[in-house]
Amino acid sequence: MPATGQPPKRIVIQYPAPSIDGGSFPAKRCVGDLVSVAADIFGDGHDKLRAVVRSRGPEPGRWRESELVPVDAHLGGVRWAGEFVVESGGRWQYTIDAWTDVFGTWRDELERKLAAAQTDLTGELLEGAVLLREAVERARSEADRALIEHALATLEDESSPEPAKHDAVLGAELFEAVERAQERHGNVTLDEPLAIEVDRIRARFGAWYELFPRSWGGLEGVRRVLPVLAELGFDVVYLPPIHPIGLTNRKGRDNALEAAPGDPGSPWAIGSPDGGHEAVHPELGTHEDVRALTAAARELEMDIALDFAIQCSADHPWLREHPEWFHRRPDGTLKYAENPPKRYQDIYNVNWDTPDWRALWQALLEIMLEWVDLGVQVFRVDNPHTKPFAFWEWLIGEVHARDRDVVFLAEAFTRRAVMRHLAKVGFSQSYTYFTWKNARWELTEYITELASSGEQEYFRPNFFVNTPDILHAYLQHGGRPAFEARLVLAATLSPSYGVYSGYESIERTPVREGSEEYLHSEKFEAKERALDGPLLPLIRTLNEARRAHPALQELANVTFLETANDALIAYAKQSRGNTLITVVNIDPHQTQEGLAVIPAELGLAPVFTVRDLLGDGERFQWRIGPNYVRLEPGVRQAHVNLVETASP
């Protein structure tokens, strides 16, 4: 028996969405997004219910309300849904209120009795008069008060015929006026508000280009090439570590254990007498060059992303200043990093279990904030899954307290549960398994998981087609058609995607057969790079399409289509009246023919015109049902069809 004198609540609210792990973590949205909210709401008996979603942003202020409506009552369900807009970044909250609609219940009962031809409804009308008198006292506007008073007067007028009284109390305008005025009887709400973390658009949508500054003339050289990258439609330029590189155990070309004179070493072996994570390699530039680079990027509406790799060379100042921050073997020697069979003799990991962990955490935060102060608002974090989750949750929260626009990309190719948890604790987006998903069935299965399993509420993918570490066999053996296929897939399936420089030039020679490492890897030597590869026109066209069409800026709006050929993958993406249908030949060696079957559920006209955004913009007549497609490597690897018009 309840301890209070009030009777127990009679309404139940269950399974609110979005809700991550029962509210333990926030769902994610971007500024301007429409947040769709749903919950099971029901009570005992047959009373009519009302419900709203209440929301508020990070700034102190009143809660705003939006109505929830039943969505499956016609099927005997109890699901209610509604929406609200998040206009600013930061932590939003929402909750759900539900109550008994006393007047609506009375009105519904009266309507049903009239429909059943019942007479002598005097008692019912007296009950209605009581409800109207209460509503008059609570009316907020003169118009509502006048409308309610008129209906009440009709009910209380003994000379009014009963049909006139029925008409007066069953009017739609009166119902709306009373709904605005009546008390929320038996109101229940969620035990605790649920959180929505709202980021800027770059956290969800952007095209990334990865380059090594030492191959482009240092930071000044990168700044000079920014306008060209902007014209190509790239939004983020990602730089591997730009810090001083250690000399001890420096790797040579192709990961040789001994460096030859002049070998620059791996940028991930961070630290030398010139400084550590806070410093810029003297051959790349200065802190002022970083500031100038980020300022130039801002003018072009771009971002500079820095690599944040928590590891040190043997020459990093921390090994001398904070030896307690590192692992040592029983004989006192340092333990270099390993992930068998890979060995990193030039790199040492920090000891997260050090008794001095608080100082270590604080030092890393201060370093990141220094780069933020230089204008860096995007960080690609190296191997975050090998560091404590609690550290990332704390660090990201502290950085966002300084600058809420900072975006964090997790480079975590690991177990799915770990990748999901990193997203929950704060990472804005993540690398994925996309590189290894090349067959139609596995692409369909994986994208469906990302888009509709529930993780789309908090896990944002970034589809990199290649990285300095990953040159998939599909690219090695498929040549230009394979590069075109993967590029189209990445750019049209995921709101965020990336390429590592050299992709546009179809670089595909591995260090040896069966390896995903590049021959003469740029990780261990500088190259002379230029933006002159044959895939640049396709990259530009895809990026223009992505910016022009909202359907390509979302993840969860994908519908996979039947093709009658496993070498063809087809899918539609729709958003706010914008529909694109993409078909890709994933066989880089042979011409493939098949069908793109358009289901009626897409809501398109029986016959419609599509314009291929790739190539010459050719138009085709398509229809609901099967549409013939033929894609020939070297001629046309894919269609990205914009649905333009419906035929008369």
Side-chain angles (χ1 to χ4, degrees):
M1 181 177 294
T4 66
Q6 298 295 323
K9 300 293 186 181
R10 299 177 60 187
I11 298 173
V12 176
I13 303 176
Q14 290 182 337
Y15 314 123
S19 174
I20 312 303
D21 292 358
S24 299
F25 300 100
K28 291 179 182 173
R29 295 294 186 273
C30 288
V31 174
D33 279 355
L34 196 65
V35 180
S36 296
V37 175
D40 284 4
I41 302 174
F42 57 91
D44 59 88
H46 303 288
D47 287 348
K48 295 293 182 181
L49 304 182
R50 291 284 305 280
V52 296
V53 54
R54 294 191 293 123
S55 61
R56 68 177 178 185
E59 300 298 327
R62 293 179 56 191
W63 291 81
R64 303 177 307 176
E65 286 189 355
S66 300
E67 186 177 10
L68 297 179
V69 296
V71 292
D72 61 359
H74 60 294
L75 300 174
V78 295
R79 198 71 174 166
W80 292 57
E83 56 196 22
F84 64 93
V85 177
V86 286
E87 301 97 347
S88 60
R91 180 65 61 93
W92 282 66
Q93 292 180 306
Y94 81 89
T95 191
I96 293 171
D97 284 6
W99 62 93
T100 300
D101 183 355
V102 176
F103 184 76
T105 300
W106 171 84
R107 184 176 182 270
D108 176 70
E109 182 180 331
L110 180 64
E111 283 184 318
R112 288 189 286 113
K113 288 182 177 180
L114 289 171
Q118 292 188 28
T119 58
D120 190 14
L121 300 176
T122 303
E124 284 77 1
L125 295 178
L126 289 174
E127 292 173 350
V130 172
L131 297 177
L132 291 178
R133 278 193 290 273
E134 293 176 352
V136 166
E137 298 298 323
R138 299 176 60 87
R140 300 177 183 176
S141 72
E142 289 301 322
D144 283 354
R145 183 175 295 107
L147 188 61
I148 298 169
E149 286 177 341
H150 174 74
L152 179 59
T154 302
L155 278 188
E156 294 178 335
D157 184 355
E158 295 182 0
S159 64
S160 293
E162 193 154 305
K165 295 181 179 182
H166 300 162
D167 292 341
V169 296
L170 294 178
E173 291 185 359
L174 175 67
F175 177 64
E176 293 173 0
V178 176
E179 292 292 286
R180 287 190 288 268
Q182 71 173 326
E183 181 182 3
R184 295 183 173 182
H185 182 76
N187 186 74
V188 298
T189 190
L190 298 179
D191 291 338
E192 296 290 340
L194 295 167
I196 306 279
E197 195 68 28
V198 181
D199 300 299
R200 61 184 175 118
I201 297 296
R202 187 75 79 232
R204 180 185 69 223
F205 175 72
W208 292 52
Y209 187 83
E210 178 179 359
L211 60 82
F212 285 73
R214 66 191 184 189
S215 297
W216 297 80
L219 296 175
E220 175 58 24
V222 176
R223 189 177 67 82
R224 288 194 298 268
V225 81
L226 278 184
V228 183
L229 289 167
E231 289 176 5
L232 289 167
F234 286 106
D235 304 292
V236 181
V237 178
Y238 156 46
L239 314 180
I242 60 173
H243 315 299
I245 299 171
L247 289 170
T248 303
N249 297 329
R250 173 175 287 190
K251 293 293 187 73
R253 297 190 176 192
D254 289 323
N255 203 21
L257 289 178
E258 294 187 9
D263 284 349
S266 167
W268 283 273
I270 298 170
S272 80
D274 291 316
H277 288 76
E278 80 293 341
V280 177
H281 196 300
E283 294 179 7
L284 299 181
T286 66
H287 286 105
E288 286 308 308
D289 290 321
V290 174
R291 193 185 302 277
L293 179 61
T294 59
R298 256 192 320 275
E299 291 180 4
L300 295 167
E301 298 183 346
M302 301 173 75
D303 275 294
I304 299 299
L306 287 191
D307 197 294
F308 188 61
I310 305 176
Q311 56 203 36
C312 302
S313 79
D315 304 313
H316 195 291
W318 281 357
L319 275 85
R320 182 182 67 258
E321 298 167 1
H322 299 283
E324 69 280 6
W325 288 358
F326 296 89
H327 293 279
R328 294 185 181 273
R329 298 185 183 278
D331 62 0
T333 59
L334 281 168
K335 182 178 181 180
Y336 63 74
E338 292 184 82
N339 184 18
K342 294 183 178 181
R343 304 169 71 189
Y344 305 96
Q345 293 90 341
D346 55 341
I347 292 173
Y348 299 91
N349 290 324
V350 301
N351 176 15
W352 293 100
D353 294 322
T354 174
D356 196 31
W357 63 270
R358 288 184 178 85
L360 172 62
W361 286 26
Q362 187 64 35
L364 292 166
L365 170 63
E366 290 172 0
I367 286 168
M368 182 166 278
L369 291 178
E370 288 178 15
W371 295 111
V372 171
D373 288 342
L374 289 171
V376 177
Q377 290 192 310
V378 181
F379 292 92
R380 179 270 199 189
V381 178
D382 191 73
N383 289 323
H385 55 291
T386 62
K387 287 80 179 174
F389 300 122
F391 167 74
W392 293 122
E393 188 167 13
W394 172 82
L395 179 80
I396 293 171
E398 292 293 313
V399 172
H400 279 167
R402 170 77 68 87
D403 188 334
R404 187 56 192 76
D405 284 341
V406 176
V407 172
F408 294 85
L409 169 64
E411 189 254 359
F413 300 109
T414 183
R415 293 162 293 173
R416 293 292 291 121
V418 176
M419 296 168 72
R420 288 191 289 262
H421 195 70
L422 288 167
K424 291 174 184 177
V425 301
F427 277 90
S428 315
Q429 54 181 254
S430 176
Y431 283 69
T432 68
Y433 298 149
F434 170 74
T435 309
W436 298 280
K437 304 295 184 182
N438 292 278
R440 176 177 179 264
W441 71 268
E442 58 187 359
L443 278 166
T444 302
E445 179 183 72
Y446 186 49
I447 305 305
T448 300
E449 176 194 339
L450 293 173
S452 58
S453 67
E455 64 187 83
Q456 73 274 11
E457 299 287 4
Y458 61 90
F459 184 92
R460 300 190 185 108
N462 192 322
F463 282 5
F464 263 81
V465 290
N466 67 326
T467 77
D469 300 298
I470 305 171
L471 173 65
H472 194 275
Y474 179 85
L475 298 176
Q476 296 174 25
H477 301 297
R480 177 168 177 164
F483 277 68
E484 291 178 346
R486 297 299 291 178
L487 183 64
V488 172
L489 288 168
T492 59
L493 279 170
S494 177
S496 291
Y497 87 103
V499 302
Y500 157 55
S501 60
Y503 191 92
E504 68 275 15
S505 299
I506 317 177
E507 293 183 2
R508 60 191 182 100
T509 306
V511 67
R512 60 184 171 276
E513 183 65 29
S515 172
E516 291 186 343
E517 291 279 351
Y518 286 84
L519 179 66
H520 307 318
S521 171
E522 199 172 5
K523 293 186 295 182
F524 306 106
E525 62 181 85
K527 299 181 181 293
E528 292 187 8
R529 292 286 197 187
L531 284 170
D532 55 7
L535 291 186
L536 291 179
L538 177 59
I539 289 172
R540 184 198 302 268
T541 298
L542 286 167
N543 285 339
E544 288 174 351
R546 285 163 50 83
R547 289 182 174 180
H549 299 290
L552 297 180
Q553 299 171 19
E554 299 179 31
L555 171 68
N557 60 341
V558 62
T559 301
F560 285 98
L561 310 176
E562 180 53 59
T563 61
N565 182 345
D566 282 345
L568 297 176
I569 185 169
Y571 45 91
K573 300 193 87 174
Q574 294 183 298
S575 176
R576 301 181 290 280
N578 180 223
T579 300
L580 289 101
I581 301 167
T582 300
V583 188
V584 182
N585 178 2
I586 54 178
D587 180 352
H589 305 293
Q590 301 181 71
T591 299
Q592 295 291 340
E593 302 175 57
L595 304 171
V597 182
I598 306 299
E601 290 76 14
L602 291 182
L604 301 177
V607 180
F608 52 92
T609 299
V610 299
R611 175 166 57 91
D612 192 355
L613 300 180
L614 305 183
D616 56 7
E618 188 176 358
R619 286 176 168 82
F620 305 92
Q621 291 294 307
W622 278 39
R623 65 187 65 247
I624 299 297
N627 298 269
Y628 173 75
V629 177
R630 182 180 188 273
L631 293 170
E632 179 181 353
V635 177
R636 191 193 298 265
Q637 197 68 32
H639 292 294
V640 178
N641 290 333
L642 171 66
V643 175
E644 283 192 328
T645 60
S647 295

